[in-house]
Amino acid sequence: MRCTLPVSSTRRILCVFPAYTPSFGTFSHAYPLMGGVKAFMPPQGLLLIAAYLPEGWECRFIDENIRRASADDFAWADAVFVSGMHIQEPQIHEIRDRAKAAGKVTVLGGPSVSGAPEKYVDFDYLHIGEIGDATDRLVEILDAGLDAPPAQVVLETKERLALSDFPAPAYDRVPLKRYLIGSLQFSSGCPYRCEFCDIPQLYGRQPRLKSPEQMCAELDRIISQPGHPAVVYFVDDNFIGNRRATREMLPHLVEWQKRNNYPLQFACEATLNMAKQPEILELMRQANFMTVFVGIETPEADALKSIDKTHNAAVPMYEAIETLNSYGLEVTSGIILGLDTDTDRSEQNLIDFIDRSAIPVLTINLLQALPKTPLWDRLEREGRLVHDASLESNVLFKRPHDTVVGSWRRAISHAYAPEKIFERFKHQCDVTYPNRIVTPTAGKLTATNLRRGLILGFNIITRVGLFSDYRRAFWSAAGYALRRGQIEAVFNMGFVAHHLIRFTREALRGEHNASFYAAKAAETKAAQERGWWENARRKLVPEREAA
């Protein structure tokens, strides 16, 4: 549903989503292989706001990962809406500066400002929390006038809009073909209270739900756009946060796939104890889920207890991973170094886990404290929050900082050595890919998919298979997959490994910090100062040296 408040004015709202710096998690090095892909995933939150605005208001949506908002865009607007996460803070402020230079009212909402409003004293209006009564109040204010308030106005949601009343995100406002993957939301919130996570505080512990019919209608909108991504990611905080609801929704998703000849593959994030839900796992297999992101965090049982993540031990960890693989689900994993329980043995334990689990993609981060988390509150009480840009984390570790960073460097170097990652992909060829359903050819043989496949295949063969220094490891894994008839696996391992290897080498040269999600300011400045040719060379030619 749209905002139902009566409005007397026509307003032009410019929604701007900030760019990300090149990162591990957004696969930026893979974009040049894909032909036209410019960004990772459509921003659900801001697209939802765009869809909720009163029907008589005009809305222009710009994702600066695709193109930068121009002076004409700002001149067109009456007000500028911005949203983003903590790692986009510098870009959020920069958009605000451009908007104010154009004389526009500025509004900021989303997860970063909801978690840390004190970071954003420069915006006219702050929208704290999810869509709801604060959103309606904002509409009333802007309908009444466009003068900037004399002091910042903070609007905090007290009554949230039910997910069942959410409008479909304004997918029509963005070119879906420019995204690596699509995005979809079924639920919001997570029942667990992991110490480092801000989800329960921001979105609640009781998952709220959309109806299956509502979700399928959103999927219809996605596939109606020519060139839509082939993969859609459920951005739910925990896909099995409400197991009963997920179990009841999945048959609708299976039926939607069958009705449309399986045009999409799905991915999601969940807790590792989903391995105890065989009925859900089988339905996910039938719905064509390919990947599940699991916050494993650490293979050490004592450490899991210390961060309130004992649900990861509900099933023996390796057994749980094998169970997920047996349903065709390739596991990706979040890992944290720098926990209070880490010892001199933790680094080797992690390396052993990487090799034994054979999980291809692991985001190995140093512990970071986020506002509105139990971790933040505890470290603040202990005097262990630090704000030093020269350090790799805002946490004062129990072990020496340089020791922890050294462990991180050696761990990512081991995990993303070309021969290691391709060996893990070969393992998936044996234990995961054969367990996936065979979908109808009619759903795959589209003009878009054929074009996409030809471009990706050509670029993988040339950039990875011919010109990279890890071509031998790639062809070994590609040949292994091809002998098993797993052509799609060759494409997947090619572009995924290409990004992981490239990004890791940059991180080891000091161009990225140990959160693995944001480029260092020094490297950003260096990129601006480098000539056009040198920046182009770095994109096209794989870097061979590592720190």
Side-chain angles (χ1 to χ4, degrees):
M1 59 178 279
R2 284 185 175 272
C3 175
T4 58
L5 292 175
V7 293
S8 58
S9 305
T10 299
R11 297 294 183 228
R12 292 181 293 191
I13 306 300
L14 177 64
C15 295
V16 186
F17 188 70
Y20 289 106
T21 48
S23 72
F24 180 91
T26 57
F27 287 86
S28 54
H29 284 303
Y31 301 163
L33 304 180
M34 305 293 289
V37 169
K38 299 292 185 181
F40 182 57
M41 186 167 59
Q44 278 272 315
L46 202 52
L47 287 174
L48 176 64
I49 292 293
Y52 185 74
L53 292 173
E55 189 169 1
W57 289 17
E58 297 180 61
C59 179
R60 185 178 294 183
F61 192 101
I62 295 174
D63 183 346
E64 293 208 324
N65 293 284
I66 296 176
R67 80 167 179 91
R68 185 175 170 86
S70 67
D72 288 343
D73 293 318
F74 287 108
W76 169 87
D78 292 321
V80 178
F81 285 17
V82 188
S83 177
M85 294 180 281
H86 293 311
I87 57 173
Q88 295 168 294
E89 181 185 349
Q91 294 92 319
I92 290 172
H93 288 294
E94 197 267 342
I95 293 170
R96 181 268 175 199
D97 292 344
R98 283 185 280 149
K100 294 309 290 185
K104 306 303 176 179
V105 173
T106 57
V107 182
L108 176 63
S112 184
V113 69
S114 295
E118 67 278 1
K119 293 183 177 183
Y120 301 104
V121 296
D122 50 350
F123 276 79
D124 295 319
Y125 297 96
L126 299 187
H127 183 294
I128 308 299
E130 296 183 79
I131 190 170
D133 56 348
T135 319
D136 290 344
R137 178 62 184 142
L138 176 63
V139 169
E140 289 178 335
I141 291 171
L142 295 179
D143 184 50
L146 292 170
D147 293 333
Q152 183 181 77
V153 175
V154 178
L155 306 169
E156 185 168 2
T157 296
K158 303 299 183 184
E159 296 182 12
R160 297 180 295 191
L161 186 69
L163 259 69
S164 57
D165 290 331
F166 274 25
Y171 294 120
D172 59 315
R173 303 282 180 178
V174 293
L176 292 180
K177 65 182 179 180
R178 298 302 183 203
Y179 290 94
L180 181 67
I181 61 177
S183 61
L184 185 75
Q185 183 180 28
F186 172 60
S187 69
S188 177
C190 179
Y192 298 108
R193 190 87 168 123
C194 304
E195 187 187 38
F196 54 84
C197 183
D198 59 0
I199 293 300
Q201 181 68 21
L202 292 177
Y203 305 117
R205 296 186 64 185
Q206 181 64 42
R208 296 174 299 127
L209 308 164
K210 292 181 181 177
S211 69
E213 294 78 14
Q214 189 179 2
M215 188 195 63
C216 290
E218 292 184 21
L219 287 171
D220 287 336
R221 290 196 175 201
I222 291 174
I223 66 170
S224 69
Q225 190 171 138
H228 62 80
V231 178
V232 167
Y233 192 94
F234 279 78
V235 298
D236 299 28
D237 310 308
N238 182 352
F239 189 66
I240 61 163
N242 184 322
R243 292 189 291 273
R244 179 179 177 182
T246 303
R247 189 165 51 246
E248 292 175 352
M249 176 274 290
L250 282 168
H252 294 266
L253 192 57
V254 173
E255 179 56 34
W256 184 89
Q257 286 276 47
K258 290 178 178 177
R259 187 167 63 248
N260 291 282
N261 286 319
Y262 284 82
L264 297 172
Q265 298 174 354
F266 294 118
C268 68
E269 55 188 86
T271 40
L272 194 59
N273 59 356
M274 73 184 307
K276 295 175 64 178
Q277 305 296 323
E279 184 180 355
I280 289 177
L281 293 175
E282 178 56 29
L283 286 168
M284 291 175 68
R285 193 176 83 89
Q286 294 299 326
N288 213 29
F289 276 80
M290 299 289 188
T291 306
V292 57
F293 178 91
V294 177
I296 287 175
E297 320 311 352
T298 172
E300 298 177 343
D302 289 344
L304 290 174
K305 184 176 181 180
S306 74
I307 58 175
D308 290 334
K309 196 135 188 177
T310 53
H311 47 274
N312 266 11
V315 178
M317 194 167 288
Y318 295 108
E319 179 183 325
I321 294 167
E322 290 171 1
T323 297
L324 298 180
N325 292 159
S326 72
Y327 286 91
L329 290 169
E330 183 174 285
V331 176
T332 63
S333 173
I335 297 292
I336 299 174
L337 282 170
L339 299 171
D340 285 359
T341 52
D342 282 1
T343 67
D344 291 342
R345 180 65 192 171
S346 295
E347 176 188 329
Q348 188 58 51
N349 288 342
L350 173 56
I351 288 172
D352 292 343
F353 171 78
I354 292 169
D355 292 341
R356 182 177 169 187
S357 69
I359 294 174
V361 181
L362 308 101
T363 58
I364 306 171
N365 301 298
L366 290 191
L367 181 67
Q368 302 280 337
L370 298 177
K372 294 198 174 181
T373 62
L375 175 65
W376 178 282
D377 295 340
R378 177 172 66 83
L379 294 181
E380 190 171 46
R381 290 193 304 269
E382 296 174 3
R384 294 176 55 206
L385 286 176
V386 294
H387 304 283
D388 184 343
S390 68
L391 299 178
E392 300 285 350
S393 171
N394 64 350
V395 175
L396 181 62
F397 303 121
K398 288 289 185 71
R399 304 172 74 221
H401 180 86
D402 290 346
T403 299
V404 178
V405 173
S407 291
W408 173 78
R409 291 173 60 84
R410 288 185 292 272
I412 65 169
S413 180
H414 178 89
Y416 296 114
E419 63 278 4
K420 292 291 185 181
I421 184 172
F422 283 115
E423 278 299 315
R424 299 200 300 275
F425 272 119
K426 286 166 71 172
H427 180 78
Q428 299 301 307
C429 291
D430 290 332
V431 304
T432 302
Y433 307 151
N435 299 319
R436 293 171 173 171
I437 62 171
V438 178
T439 58
T441 303
K444 303 173 185 176
L445 287 180
T446 65
T448 296
N449 284 346
L450 288 172
R451 175 182 173 275
R452 187 180 286 148
L454 287 172
I455 293 172
L456 180 59
F458 174 79
N459 284 325
I460 287 175
I461 289 172
T462 53
R463 298 191 187 193
V464 180
L466 294 179
F467 297 127
S468 76
D469 63 330
Y470 41 87
R471 56 187 176 271
R472 185 182 298 274
F474 165 73
W475 284 118
S476 173
Y480 196 84
L482 290 172
R483 288 192 294 273
R484 287 154 179 78
Q486 298 169 354
I487 298 174
E488 190 173 341
V490 177
F491 287 79
N492 179 64
M493 69 176 68
F495 88 83
V496 171
H498 176 71
H499 168 76
L500 298 177
I501 294 167
R502 293 286 303 277
F503 188 86
T504 298
R505 290 178 175 183
E506 291 172 354
L508 291 171
R509 291 197 300 269
E511 296 176 13
H512 303 284
N513 70 19
S515 73
F516 238 13
Y517 283 100
K520 284 187 172 178
E523 170 54 22
T524 302
K525 182 179 179 181
Q528 294 171 347
E529 294 175 350
R530 284 194 294 262
W532 175 88
W533 169 250
E534 175 60 16
N535 280 318
R537 185 192 70 78
R538 285 172 173 251
K539 288 183 179 180
L540 294 172
V541 181
E543 296 289 347
R544 295 170 184 263
E545 74 278 4

